Amino acid sequence: MRIYLRLTPNTEIVPFNYQRALVGAFHKWLGENELHDEISLYSLSWLYGGKMRRDKKGYDFRHGAEFFISSPLEGLHKSAVSGLFKDETIQWGMRVEEVRMRTTPDFGERQRFFAQSPIFIKKRREEDNGQQFVFPGDEDANALMTATLQKKLERAGLNYEAAVAFDPEYQNPKTKKITFNKIDLIGTFCPVIVEGDPEAVRFAWDVGVGHSTGIGFGALR
């Protein structure tokens, strides 16, 4: 299921790295929760409907904005909606003015999805115990996305199979660097193809793909 939130126009500059504020609003609405795990059974989109300011200091959403919260967990949606009706504010003078719900569509055994937010993939760098970013065309990119989705299915107690792959025919993947909690993260805007049990394909639409979907990466449309 997916909640689409319509927001009022901003009255202050929305910074380029605004994702932390959206994540903060989401957890404020949920209240006390245990959803800070590395494996998130939900995805948060980025804001859409705005433009970069002429002074290039951030974004303006003169006609308001939208973003969505997506998850197969019914209780998460109920808690989020209940919380936002108690405090609909986000930041930058923006608040929630409309809430719409959409059930998860049936996609069949194969579906090509667009990335609403950049898909972030990381792996451990063995030589110095650090982290390495992974992008379309890298040898293990698809295997890492597939492994993450399978872990989420297992976490949800679902015995389904699915594979995730970047669309090999897409000619213009674009990378995007985001600073979150003072850490630079780089993801990619590139369509993905999800194949497998129909229930697993629907699940992927709900939870997103790649790592860090809980902080605004890998949301699908």
Side-chain angles (χ1 to χ4, degrees), residues 10-196:
N10 59 301
T11 58
E12 303 173 11
I13 298 174
V14 178
F16 292 121
N17 293 308
Y18 62 75
Q19 287 75 22
R20 189 172 184 275
L22 284 186
V23 174
F26 170 66
H27 285 283
K28 174 186 68 175
W29 296 330
L30 287 182
E32 292 294 327
N33 65 81
E34 299 177 354
L35 294 176
H36 295 276
D37 296 340
E38 185 174 347
I39 300 294
S40 301
L41 297 182
Y42 59 93
S43 60
L44 304 177
S45 80
W46 283 14
L47 296 175
Y48 48 101
K51 293 184 178 181
M52 184 187 300
R53 291 168 55 91
R54 291 183 179 180
D55 59 14
K56 298 183 179 180
K57 292 183 178 180
Y59 298 111
D60 273 331
F61 294 85
R62 296 181 181 179
H63 303 289
E66 288 196 11
F67 82 104
F68 60 77
I69 301 166
S70 189
S71 175
L73 305 176
E74 183 178 346
L76 180 146
H77 294 291
K78 289 182 178 179
S79 295
V81 171
S82 176
L84 72 86
F85 279 129
K86 295 176 183 177
D87 181 1
E88 73 278 13
T89 60
I90 296 182
Q91 207 166 311
W92 323 293
M94 303 177 80
R95 59 179 177 78
V96 179
E97 65 176 357
E98 181 183 334
V99 179
R100 293 180 288 110
M101 309 285 287
R102 182 184 180 187
T103 57
T104 306
D106 289 320
F107 301 106
E109 296 180 346
R110 185 181 189 275
Q111 180 67 34
R112 180 179 185 263
F113 295 107
F114 289 98
Q116 197 280 338
S117 60
I119 297 168
F120 174 61
I121 311 171
K122 62 182 178 180
K123 67 176 182 179
R124 185 171 300 281
R125 195 168 52 223
E126 299 295 341
E127 59 269 23
D128 59 1
N129 201 33
Q131 297 287 344
Q132 176 180 339
F133 301 145
V134 179
F135 305 101
D138 290 348
E139 182 178 0
D140 48 1
N142 296 339
L144 288 168
M145 285 195 295
T146 296
T148 299
L149 180 59
Q150 286 296 150
K151 286 181 181 178
K152 292 189 177 189
L153 285 161
E154 293 171 10
R155 176 70 64 87
L158 300 175
N159 187 27
Y160 300 126
E161 297 292 330
V164 188
F166 285 115
D167 183 350
E169 297 183 1
Y170 189 71
Q171 299 297 314
N172 192 30
K174 294 183 179 180
T175 59
K176 178 73 173 180
K177 182 175 77 171
I178 293 298
T179 301
F180 194 94
N181 286 345
K182 299 182 180 180
I183 300 175
D184 290 337
L185 306 172
I186 304 176
T188 308
F189 284 101
C190 180
V192 295
I193 297 170
V194 183
E195 296 184 88

